Amino acid sequence: MTMHEYPPIRQSVIGFRRCRARATVLWGLAVLVTTAVPSGALARTSPDSYSPTSRTVAPVRVYSTSGSVSSPQNVLSGAPTRLSGANAQVVYDFGKEVGGLVTLSFSGASGAGQQLGLAFSESSLYIGKDSDLSNGGASPDGALYANVSGAGTYTMPTDKLRGGFRYLTLFLTTSGWVDLNGISLNFTPAPGKSNPQDYANYFSSNDPLLNKIWYAGAYTVQMNTIASNQGRVWGPPSTGWQNNATVGVGSSVLVDGAKRDRTVWAGDLGIALPTQYVSTNDTVSTRNAIAMLFQYQRPSGELQWGGSPFNLWGSTTYTMWALLGTASYYTYSGDKAWLDSIWSKYKVTMNFVLSQVGGNGLLSIPKTYREDWARQYPEGENIEANAILYATLIGGAQLAEAENDATSASAWRNRAAALKSAANAQLWNPAIGLYRDNPTSTLYPQDGNSLAVWYKLTDSTQKDASIVRALTARWNHIGALTPEKNDGGKIGTFPGSMELQAHLTAGDDVNALILMRREWGHMLNSPIGTASTFWEGMDYHGSLDPAYGGSFVSAAHGWATGPTFALTFSVLGLMPLAPDGRYHFIPHPGDLTHVEGSITLPQGLVSGSWDASAPSGTFSARLTSPAGTSGTVGIPTYGSSSVSVSVNGTTAWSGGAFKGAPGISGGSADGRYIYLTGVAPGSYTFTASGVVAPAPFTVSVLPHQLPVGYTVCAAEGGTCTPSGTQVLAYGAGSYAYRLISGPTACTTASFGGTDPAYNLLKSCYLAPAGGPAGFTACAAEKGTCSFSGMRQVAYGNNGAFRFRIANGSIACTNEAFGTDPLPNVAKSCYLAPADAPPSGNWSRCAIEGNSCTVPSGQPLAFGANGAFWSGTSSGTTVCNSGSFGVDPLFGTAKACYVPTGAPTGFGTLCSAEQGTCAFSGQKTVAYGANGAFLYKTFTGGTPCTAAAFGGADPLYGVAKSCYLP
């Protein structure tokens, strides 16, 4: 079963592939690329890197001019540019985010007393003479002023260092003229590196955009790595800005933002810290940030959420993020001496957090502890805090074992198990398929649900699938929405970074890549951005989030860099497990065909690469690891039981069993991966054949429903023959899907070993030709689909589609939809209807704001224009986003709908309730009404009663019927 992009009518269970670590691998069709694994040094000259190669940086172009400015481009090559008169202004563009101290060189001036202003901006939105905001005070940052009397230079004062900007505005305030013949910047981020582009690690793939995203995340965190005495002064200066505060120990420290706040923010470390590790491996700056938080620990154990000089208190979640960062730092560095030095403090902090766990087993944030990351309602028994605590306890237990503190290790593991049980019992809402923000809330947050999957607070893979399916339903044309953000209608890049990890943990690999390309690709390519770094947050339409104070918003924020370590840890698959040299190499190919990269363990560099070819059914990987390491390598099988794996030419796995190979101590399989364990140091080539991978596509459905228009082509065991290339569905009540081009057996084996309806006799169905049923053709491939407002658009043909919510228009191309859903076949774009859901028979029961009164257990859909979210009624349901936990189409009037009639795929009425459904042979029968059905396989007929279907009533108090395929 393959699920690539859930359409907005989502919450469909199309399926997820699992391995022991809940990892899924999905595969796209592309050309096999074979490249030897390079050394880490090759990354230092990567064309995708945004880091400069020296400490001297210059602007690259003229952005704009006004007033009298002659030859503004001359200064870029060292020739004079003249600014004349008080209205002369020129804006220079460095082409990317930079930071440091600007030096201006002058070849002459009209006379003494000329004055030139310097102002700075990260975004083109805030170019002007006052600079964008960074000081945190009530007045604008303003500008710096250089007094020019003739030939000479001006260098900014060191305390006026500008931490992050792209645009430099120069303006003359006097009536004479100045000749400017040089602009240079002393680049100050990542102190101590003569060549900032000299990364310890690298990443590369066959997707150029993902490569740029990896390096943009790395550069964002590098911009946020500063000298410990170059932080933002607090309180705000009365005029201008000041960046000479001490914000950490040691010579360099990892802070939250380049422009501001230039201070250690504990929560930001949850994302920035692993990004720093997988790119520059600057663990020293990581340690210095965490050490500063422990340095100011209160006797109670509480840690600051905003470090010195802000010295902010009152966040249990950020206190736990610091503990999580401690565990990560130790895994990455193996710095046992430092762990020893803070261990007693660590335990005091853990006890401080655990003191807030109540009698019901849940952590409850005190109402006085409201600070988080600008989310709503951080106090109380919220799912975000409890998911973080679960990970904190597991990480703490591992540290306790390293410290030979068996008592703490055992106690914390027991507390973690109890917490998992309490959270799943009290916060999970099965009707929505998400965790509530707290036990009485109707808010279903992005952060807490993402963390529950990422940190494995969930207690079943079904919950993982439900959560990521629900999260995907919230996407719009820019990215993933964040309902818990204080002012709503926003795309939070901090919880968005968490959501990426959730998709990959749940095995929803292709959707993770699509979200990276969509949300982070938007930030990278937006004309209002820095073209090099990721933002603090966005609004619904993809602009910088004004809720962070207009131009005060940070355009280079570490918490937004989740794709960088997701690409290394999950997509490449290289991840450290412990400082003793254990690691795993378990790729998540998604729709990629080639990935390579490295990580640095305390023992040295581990390099890996892999190549995937769906047409040939092969997967190959290469690995080099240093002395003192032990690895686990995962080979994706996609459910195929006939995969054979060779290691350096020796057959290591065949016929479902480990055969042995030099350097490999064992092997196992779980139906999704073959694991080769105890991989000794050295160089290896792994080659797998017999891999079966379905082609990428998506199907627009609500839960468990077969899309309208699919027709039966065979019963289980038979054969279906398509007309050209079509999608084939297989199941009974719930379905698996694949793309076929020739006669295909209607069997579980044909679907990679995935049984979508266990213990039921299934059928196969072919998708209709053309677009999805109910959609209207709006453009041929390479054309443009135009419409009014926000609508769902399908791109593809014959059942194989990508779906996107778009605003006004969208290009009908592979690039606009993320990938090719139907290679080598002409495609088109189709527009969703503007009223009821397009998948099935639906009738409206209420407009938004009114109540829909239907029997308890009745499925409902809420939305408009093809973008819908589903839930289950408890009797009377208010038709609004609060009842469904999400707004599926922000800013658009919506309605609620109920399904009617037979379930799709079971269109033959065989009996009313209490009658007899008669037939010959063996068949699966659907029993129920209005979208609520039970399925069971019978031979020779069955009474159409609840008793015959196990005694359950799928929809109490409603007359039901029985249906055959």
Side-chain angles (χ1 to χ4, degrees), residues 213-224 254 256 268-279 493-498 500-501 516 520 523 532-536 555-568:
I213 287 171
W214 190 92
Y215 278 97
Y219 186 56
T220 300
V221 169
Q222 193 173 44
M223 288 294 304
N224 298 347
L254 176 58
D256 67 322
D268 300 53
L269 294 175
I271 303 298
L273 192 159
T275 295
Q276 186 168 62
Y277 166 71
V278 302
S279 55
T493 55
F494 184 32
S497 290
M498 302 171 194
L500 285 179
Q501 318 308 321
M516 288 182 202
W520 281 264
M523 285 186 276
S532 58
T533 55
F534 295 132
W535 310 348
E536 190 172 14
H557 222 67
W559 74 14
T561 63
T564 300
F565 68 90
L567 287 167
T568 294

Short mmCIF file of all heavy atoms in Angstrom, two decimals, residues 213-224 254 256 268-279 493-498 500-501 516 520 523 532-536 555-568:
data_model
loop_
_atom_site.label_atom_id
_atom_site.label_comp_id
_atom_site.label_asym_id
_atom_site.label_seq_id
_atom_site.Cartn_x
_atom_site.Cartn_y
_atom_site.Cartn_z
N ILE A 213 17.73 22.65 0.57
CA ILE A 213 17.05 22.74 1.87
C ILE A 213 17.97 22.25 2.99
O ILE A 213 18.04 22.85 4.07
CB ILE A 213 15.72 21.97 1.83
CG1 ILE A 213 14.69 22.73 0.98
CG2 ILE A 213 15.18 21.70 3.23
CD1 ILE A 213 13.42 21.96 0.70
N TRP A 214 18.68 21.15 2.76
CA TRP A 214 19.61 20.65 3.77
C TRP A 214 20.64 21.72 4.12
O TRP A 214 20.89 22.01 5.30
CB TRP A 214 20.31 19.38 3.28
CG TRP A 214 21.10 18.66 4.33
CD1 TRP A 214 20.67 17.64 5.13
CD2 TRP A 214 22.49 18.86 4.67
NE1 TRP A 214 21.68 17.21 5.96
CE2 TRP A 214 22.81 17.95 5.70
CE3 TRP A 214 23.47 19.73 4.22
CZ2 TRP A 214 24.07 17.87 6.27
CZ3 TRP A 214 24.75 19.67 4.80
CH2 TRP A 214 25.04 18.76 5.81
N TYR A 215 21.25 22.31 3.10
CA TYR A 215 22.30 23.29 3.35
C TYR A 215 21.74 24.60 3.90
O TYR A 215 22.41 25.29 4.68
CB TYR A 215 23.11 23.54 2.08
CG TYR A 215 24.17 22.47 1.88
CD1 TYR A 215 23.95 21.39 1.04
CD2 TYR A 215 25.38 22.52 2.57
CE1 TYR A 215 24.90 20.40 0.88
CE2 TYR A 215 26.34 21.53 2.43
CZ TYR A 215 26.11 20.47 1.58
OH TYR A 215 27.05 19.48 1.44
N ALA A 216 20.50 24.96 3.54
CA ALA A 216 19.90 26.17 4.11
C ALA A 216 19.65 25.99 5.60
O ALA A 216 19.85 26.94 6.39
CB ALA A 216 18.61 26.51 3.39
N GLY A 217 19.20 24.80 6.01
CA GLY A 217 19.05 24.54 7.44
C GLY A 217 20.37 24.59 8.17
O GLY A 217 20.49 25.16 9.26
N ALA A 218 21.40 23.98 7.55
CA ALA A 218 22.73 24.00 8.16
C ALA A 218 23.24 25.43 8.29
O ALA A 218 23.80 25.83 9.33
CB ALA A 218 23.69 23.18 7.31
N TYR A 219 23.01 26.25 7.25
CA TYR A 219 23.49 27.64 7.28
C TYR A 219 22.70 28.48 8.29
O TYR A 219 23.26 29.35 8.95
CB TYR A 219 23.38 28.24 5.88
CG TYR A 219 23.97 29.62 5.74
CD1 TYR A 219 25.29 29.88 6.08
CD2 TYR A 219 23.20 30.67 5.24
CE1 TYR A 219 25.83 31.15 5.94
CE2 TYR A 219 23.73 31.95 5.10
CZ TYR A 219 25.05 32.19 5.45
OH TYR A 219 25.59 33.44 5.31
N THR A 220 21.40 28.20 8.42
CA THR A 220 20.61 28.90 9.42
C THR A 220 21.20 28.71 10.81
O THR A 220 21.38 29.68 11.57
CB THR A 220 19.16 28.40 9.40
OG1 THR A 220 18.59 28.63 8.11
CG2 THR A 220 18.31 29.10 10.45
N VAL A 221 21.52 27.47 11.15
CA VAL A 221 22.09 27.20 12.47
C VAL A 221 23.51 27.75 12.58
O VAL A 221 23.92 28.23 13.64
CB VAL A 221 22.04 25.69 12.76
CG1 VAL A 221 22.87 25.34 13.98
CG2 VAL A 221 20.60 25.25 12.98
N GLN A 222 24.25 27.73 11.48
CA GLN A 222 25.59 28.33 11.51
C GLN A 222 25.50 29.84 11.75
O GLN A 222 26.31 30.40 12.50
CB GLN A 222 26.31 28.05 10.19
CG GLN A 222 27.79 28.34 10.24
CD GLN A 222 28.49 27.89 8.99
OE1 GLN A 222 28.02 28.11 7.88
NE2 GLN A 222 29.66 27.27 9.15
N MET A 223 24.50 30.50 11.15
CA MET A 223 24.29 31.92 11.42
C MET A 223 23.93 32.17 12.88
O MET A 223 24.16 33.26 13.41
CB MET A 223 23.17 32.46 10.52
CG MET A 223 23.54 32.61 9.05
SD MET A 223 24.80 33.86 8.76
CE MET A 223 24.06 35.30 9.49
N ASN A 224 23.36 31.15 13.53
CA ASN A 224 22.95 31.27 14.93
C ASN A 224 24.03 30.80 15.90
O ASN A 224 23.77 30.68 17.10
CB ASN A 224 21.68 30.46 15.17
CG ASN A 224 20.51 30.95 14.34
OD1 ASN A 224 20.57 32.03 13.77
ND2 ASN A 224 19.47 30.16 14.26
N LEU A 254 25.49 28.27 20.65
CA LEU A 254 24.35 28.15 19.75
C LEU A 254 23.17 28.90 20.34
O LEU A 254 22.68 28.57 21.43
CB LEU A 254 24.00 26.67 19.55
CG LEU A 254 22.76 26.36 18.70
CD1 LEU A 254 22.87 26.94 17.31
CD2 LEU A 254 22.53 24.85 18.64
N ASP A 256 19.27 31.27 19.41
CA ASP A 256 18.02 31.00 18.70
C ASP A 256 17.94 31.64 17.34
O ASP A 256 17.40 31.07 16.40
CB ASP A 256 16.83 31.43 19.55
CG ASP A 256 16.76 32.95 19.72
OD1 ASP A 256 17.83 33.58 19.86
OD2 ASP A 256 15.64 33.49 19.71
N ASP A 268 14.37 25.94 21.40
CA ASP A 268 14.92 25.98 20.04
C ASP A 268 15.99 24.91 19.84
O ASP A 268 16.20 24.42 18.73
CB ASP A 268 15.51 27.35 19.75
CG ASP A 268 14.48 28.47 19.87
OD1 ASP A 268 13.81 28.55 20.92
OD2 ASP A 268 14.34 29.26 18.92
N LEU A 269 16.68 24.56 20.95
CA LEU A 269 17.73 23.55 20.86
C LEU A 269 17.18 22.19 20.41
O LEU A 269 17.93 21.38 19.84
CB LEU A 269 18.43 23.38 22.21
CG LEU A 269 19.25 24.59 22.70
CD1 LEU A 269 19.78 24.32 24.10
CD2 LEU A 269 20.38 24.91 21.75
N GLY A 270 15.88 21.94 20.67
CA GLY A 270 15.31 20.66 20.28
C GLY A 270 15.42 20.39 18.79
O GLY A 270 15.45 19.23 18.36
N ILE A 271 15.47 21.45 17.98
CA ILE A 271 15.62 21.31 16.54
C ILE A 271 17.01 21.73 16.10
O ILE A 271 17.68 21.04 15.30
CB ILE A 271 14.55 22.16 15.80
CG1 ILE A 271 13.15 21.75 16.24
CG2 ILE A 271 14.72 22.03 14.30
CD1 ILE A 271 12.76 20.32 15.93
N ALA A 272 17.50 22.87 16.60
CA ALA A 272 18.78 23.40 16.14
C ALA A 272 19.94 22.50 16.50
O ALA A 272 20.92 22.41 15.74
CB ALA A 272 19.00 24.80 16.73
N LEU A 273 19.87 21.82 17.66
CA LEU A 273 20.98 21.01 18.13
C LEU A 273 21.27 19.84 17.18
O LEU A 273 22.42 19.68 16.74
CB LEU A 273 20.69 20.54 19.57
CG LEU A 273 21.81 19.91 20.38
CD1 LEU A 273 21.48 20.00 21.86
CD2 LEU A 273 22.03 18.45 20.02
N PRO A 274 20.29 19.00 16.82
CA PRO A 274 20.61 17.92 15.87
C PRO A 274 20.98 18.45 14.49
O PRO A 274 21.76 17.81 13.77
CB PRO A 274 19.34 17.07 15.84
CG PRO A 274 18.27 17.92 16.39
CD PRO A 274 18.93 18.85 17.36
N THR A 275 20.43 19.60 14.07
CA THR A 275 20.85 20.19 12.80
C THR A 275 22.32 20.54 12.83
O THR A 275 23.06 20.28 11.87
CB THR A 275 20.01 21.44 12.49
OG1 THR A 275 18.65 21.06 12.29
CG2 THR A 275 20.52 22.14 11.25
N GLN A 276 22.76 21.14 13.92
CA GLN A 276 24.17 21.49 14.04
C GLN A 276 25.06 20.24 14.01
O GLN A 276 26.11 20.22 13.37
CB GLN A 276 24.40 22.27 15.34
CG GLN A 276 25.81 22.82 15.49
CD GLN A 276 25.91 23.81 16.63
OE1 GLN A 276 25.67 23.46 17.79
NE2 GLN A 276 26.27 25.05 16.34
N TYR A 277 24.59 19.18 14.66
CA TYR A 277 25.37 17.95 14.68
C TYR A 277 25.53 17.36 13.28
O TYR A 277 26.65 17.00 12.87
CB TYR A 277 24.72 16.92 15.62
CG TYR A 277 25.28 15.53 15.41
CD1 TYR A 277 26.58 15.22 15.81
CD2 TYR A 277 24.52 14.54 14.79
CE1 TYR A 277 27.11 13.96 15.60
CE2 TYR A 277 25.05 13.28 14.58
CZ TYR A 277 26.34 12.99 14.98
OH TYR A 277 26.86 11.74 14.74
N VAL A 278 24.44 17.21 12.52
CA VAL A 278 24.53 16.51 11.23
C VAL A 278 25.25 17.34 10.18
O VAL A 278 25.66 16.79 9.15
CB VAL A 278 23.15 16.10 10.69
CG1 VAL A 278 22.41 15.21 11.67
CG2 VAL A 278 22.31 17.31 10.29
N SER A 279 25.44 18.64 10.42
CA SER A 279 26.10 19.48 9.42
C SER A 279 27.54 19.81 9.83
O SER A 279 28.49 19.22 9.32
CB SER A 279 25.28 20.75 9.17
OG SER A 279 25.03 21.45 10.38
N THR A 493 6.91 27.06 12.07
CA THR A 493 8.04 26.26 11.57
C THR A 493 8.70 25.43 12.67
O THR A 493 9.41 24.47 12.37
CB THR A 493 9.08 27.19 10.92
OG1 THR A 493 9.47 28.21 11.85
CG2 THR A 493 8.50 27.84 9.68
N PHE A 494 8.48 25.78 13.93
CA PHE A 494 8.95 24.94 15.04
C PHE A 494 8.13 23.65 15.11
O PHE A 494 8.69 22.55 14.98
CB PHE A 494 8.89 25.74 16.33
CG PHE A 494 9.43 25.06 17.56
CD1 PHE A 494 10.48 24.16 17.49
CD2 PHE A 494 8.91 25.34 18.82
CE1 PHE A 494 11.00 23.54 18.63
CE2 PHE A 494 9.41 24.74 19.97
CZ PHE A 494 10.45 23.84 19.87
N PRO A 495 6.81 23.72 15.29
CA PRO A 495 6.03 22.47 15.26
C PRO A 495 6.06 21.82 13.88
O PRO A 495 5.91 20.60 13.77
CB PRO A 495 4.62 22.91 15.65
CG PRO A 495 4.57 24.36 15.35
CD PRO A 495 5.95 24.89 15.60
N GLY A 496 6.25 22.60 12.81
CA GLY A 496 6.38 22.00 11.49
C GLY A 496 7.60 21.11 11.41
O GLY A 496 7.58 20.04 10.77
N SER A 497 8.70 21.54 12.04
CA SER A 497 9.90 20.69 12.09
C SER A 497 9.61 19.39 12.83
O SER A 497 10.12 18.32 12.48
CB SER A 497 11.04 21.44 12.77
OG SER A 497 11.52 22.50 11.96
N MET A 498 8.77 19.48 13.87
CA MET A 498 8.36 18.27 14.59
C MET A 498 7.51 17.37 13.70
O MET A 498 7.65 16.14 13.72
CB MET A 498 7.56 18.65 15.84
CG MET A 498 8.27 19.55 16.82
SD MET A 498 7.10 20.12 18.11
CE MET A 498 8.05 21.45 18.85
N LEU A 500 7.59 16.95 10.50
CA LEU A 500 8.42 16.19 9.56
C LEU A 500 8.92 14.90 10.19
O LEU A 500 8.89 13.83 9.57
CB LEU A 500 9.62 17.03 9.13
CG LEU A 500 9.40 18.15 8.14
CD1 LEU A 500 10.72 18.86 7.88
CD2 LEU A 500 8.81 17.62 6.84
N GLN A 501 9.39 15.00 11.43
CA GLN A 501 9.90 13.80 12.12
C GLN A 501 8.78 12.79 12.34
O GLN A 501 9.00 11.58 12.26
CB GLN A 501 10.54 14.18 13.45
CG GLN A 501 11.41 15.42 13.45
CD GLN A 501 12.48 15.45 12.38
OE1 GLN A 501 13.11 14.44 12.09
NE2 GLN A 501 12.69 16.62 11.79
N MET A 516 8.57 18.99 3.01
CA MET A 516 9.83 19.73 2.94
C MET A 516 9.86 20.62 1.71
O MET A 516 10.20 21.81 1.78
CB MET A 516 11.01 18.75 2.87
CG MET A 516 11.33 18.01 4.13
SD MET A 516 12.78 16.96 3.87
CE MET A 516 12.56 15.76 5.19
N TRP A 520 9.36 24.36 3.21
CA TRP A 520 10.72 24.88 3.27
C TRP A 520 11.19 25.36 1.90
O TRP A 520 11.98 26.31 1.81
CB TRP A 520 11.65 23.83 3.87
CG TRP A 520 11.51 23.79 5.37
CD1 TRP A 520 12.30 24.43 6.27
CD2 TRP A 520 10.49 23.12 6.13
NE1 TRP A 520 11.85 24.20 7.55
CE2 TRP A 520 10.74 23.38 7.50
CE3 TRP A 520 9.41 22.30 5.80
CZ2 TRP A 520 9.95 22.88 8.52
CZ3 TRP A 520 8.62 21.80 6.81
CH2 TRP A 520 8.88 22.08 8.16
N MET A 523 9.94 28.93 1.74
CA MET A 523 10.79 29.89 2.46
C MET A 523 12.07 30.17 1.70
O MET A 523 12.56 31.31 1.65
CB MET A 523 11.11 29.35 3.87
CG MET A 523 9.96 29.44 4.85
SD MET A 523 10.45 28.96 6.53
CE MET A 523 10.29 27.18 6.43
N SER A 532 18.30 31.77 1.74
CA SER A 532 19.38 30.99 2.32
C SER A 532 19.08 30.45 3.71
O SER A 532 19.76 29.53 4.17
CB SER A 532 20.66 31.84 2.41
OG SER A 532 20.41 33.01 3.18
N THR A 533 18.07 30.99 4.40
CA THR A 533 17.79 30.61 5.78
C THR A 533 16.28 30.46 5.98
O THR A 533 15.48 30.92 5.18
CB THR A 533 18.34 31.66 6.76
OG1 THR A 533 17.80 32.95 6.42
CG2 THR A 533 19.86 31.71 6.72
N PHE A 534 15.92 29.82 7.10
CA PHE A 534 14.52 29.51 7.38
C PHE A 534 13.96 30.38 8.50
O PHE A 534 14.68 30.79 9.40
CB PHE A 534 14.38 28.03 7.71
CG PHE A 534 14.72 27.15 6.54
CD1 PHE A 534 15.58 26.06 6.69
CD2 PHE A 534 14.20 27.41 5.28
CE1 PHE A 534 15.89 25.26 5.61
CE2 PHE A 534 14.52 26.60 4.20
CZ PHE A 534 15.37 25.53 4.36
N TRP A 535 12.65 30.59 8.43
CA TRP A 535 11.99 31.65 9.18
C TRP A 535 11.43 31.18 10.52
O TRP A 535 11.11 30.01 10.71
CB TRP A 535 10.84 32.23 8.36
CG TRP A 535 11.17 32.62 6.96
CD1 TRP A 535 12.41 32.73 6.38
CD2 TRP A 535 10.23 32.93 5.93
NE1 TRP A 535 12.29 33.11 5.07
CE2 TRP A 535 10.98 33.23 4.76
CE3 TRP A 535 8.83 32.98 5.87
CZ2 TRP A 535 10.35 33.57 3.56
CZ3 TRP A 535 8.22 33.33 4.69
CH2 TRP A 535 8.98 33.63 3.55
N GLU A 536 11.18 32.15 11.38
CA GLU A 536 10.57 31.88 12.68
C GLU A 536 9.13 31.40 12.55
O GLU A 536 8.67 30.60 13.36
CB GLU A 536 10.62 33.17 13.50
CG GLU A 536 10.25 33.04 14.95
CD GLU A 536 10.53 34.32 15.71
OE1 GLU A 536 10.77 35.37 15.07
OE2 GLU A 536 10.52 34.27 16.95
N ALA A 555 14.24 35.86 10.35
CA ALA A 555 14.28 35.11 9.09
C ALA A 555 15.40 34.10 9.06
O ALA A 555 15.68 33.49 8.01
CB ALA A 555 14.41 36.07 7.90
N ALA A 556 16.05 33.88 10.20
CA ALA A 556 17.09 32.85 10.31
C ALA A 556 16.98 32.27 11.71
O ALA A 556 17.69 32.66 12.62
CB ALA A 556 18.48 33.43 10.06
N HIS A 557 16.05 31.31 11.86
CA HIS A 557 15.70 30.81 13.18
C HIS A 557 15.96 29.31 13.27
O HIS A 557 15.43 28.54 12.47
CB HIS A 557 14.23 31.13 13.47
CG HIS A 557 14.00 31.60 14.87
ND1 HIS A 557 14.47 32.80 15.34
CD2 HIS A 557 13.36 31.03 15.92
CE1 HIS A 557 14.13 32.95 16.60
NE2 HIS A 557 13.46 31.88 16.98
N GLY A 558 16.75 28.90 14.27
CA GLY A 558 17.19 27.51 14.37
C GLY A 558 16.07 26.51 14.50
O GLY A 558 16.20 25.37 14.05
N TRP A 559 14.94 26.90 15.13
CA TRP A 559 13.88 25.92 15.34
C TRP A 559 13.17 25.53 14.03
O TRP A 559 12.34 24.63 14.02
CB TRP A 559 12.91 26.39 16.41
CG TRP A 559 11.93 27.50 16.07
CD1 TRP A 559 11.59 28.00 14.85
CD2 TRP A 559 11.13 28.20 17.03
NE1 TRP A 559 10.65 28.98 14.97
CE2 TRP A 559 10.34 29.14 16.30
CE3 TRP A 559 11.00 28.15 18.40
CZ2 TRP A 559 9.44 29.98 16.92
CZ3 TRP A 559 10.10 29.00 19.02
CH2 TRP A 559 9.33 29.91 18.29
N ALA A 560 13.48 26.21 12.94
CA ALA A 560 12.84 25.94 11.66
C ALA A 560 13.65 24.99 10.79
O ALA A 560 13.30 24.78 9.63
CB ALA A 560 12.63 27.25 10.90
N THR A 561 14.70 24.38 11.32
CA THR A 561 15.64 23.64 10.48
C THR A 561 15.45 22.12 10.53
O THR A 561 16.37 21.37 10.22
CB THR A 561 17.09 23.98 10.88
OG1 THR A 561 17.32 23.56 12.24
CG2 THR A 561 17.36 25.48 10.76
N GLY A 562 14.25 21.69 10.86
CA GLY A 562 13.98 20.25 10.97
C GLY A 562 14.34 19.42 9.76
O GLY A 562 14.77 18.26 9.90
N PRO A 563 14.16 19.90 8.51
CA PRO A 563 14.49 19.05 7.36
C PRO A 563 15.94 18.60 7.33
O PRO A 563 16.24 17.51 6.82
CB PRO A 563 14.18 19.96 6.16
CG PRO A 563 13.16 20.91 6.64
CD PRO A 563 13.53 21.17 8.08
N THR A 564 16.87 19.40 7.85
CA THR A 564 18.28 19.06 7.70
C THR A 564 18.61 17.75 8.42
O THR A 564 19.19 16.84 7.83
CB THR A 564 19.16 20.22 8.21
OG1 THR A 564 18.86 21.38 7.43
CG2 THR A 564 20.63 19.89 8.07
N PHE A 565 18.24 17.63 9.68
CA PHE A 565 18.56 16.36 10.35
C PHE A 565 17.60 15.26 9.96
O PHE A 565 17.94 14.07 10.02
CB PHE A 565 18.70 16.52 11.87
CG PHE A 565 17.45 16.84 12.63
CD1 PHE A 565 16.65 15.81 13.13
CD2 PHE A 565 17.08 18.13 12.92
CE1 PHE A 565 15.51 16.08 13.88
CE2 PHE A 565 15.97 18.43 13.66
CZ PHE A 565 15.16 17.39 14.14
N ALA A 566 16.37 15.60 9.51
CA ALA A 566 15.47 14.57 9.01
C ALA A 566 16.04 13.91 7.76
O ALA A 566 15.95 12.69 7.58
CB ALA A 566 14.10 15.17 8.71
N LEU A 567 16.64 14.69 6.89
CA LEU A 567 17.24 14.14 5.67
C LEU A 567 18.42 13.24 5.99
O LEU A 567 18.63 12.21 5.33
CB LEU A 567 17.66 15.27 4.73
CG LEU A 567 16.50 16.00 4.03
CD1 LEU A 567 16.98 17.29 3.39
CD2 LEU A 567 15.85 15.10 2.99
N THR A 568 19.21 13.60 6.99
CA THR A 568 20.37 12.77 7.34
C THR A 568 19.95 11.54 8.14
O THR A 568 20.29 10.41 7.79
CB THR A 568 21.40 13.59 8.13
OG1 THR A 568 21.95 14.59 7.29
CG2 THR A 568 22.52 12.70 8.65
#
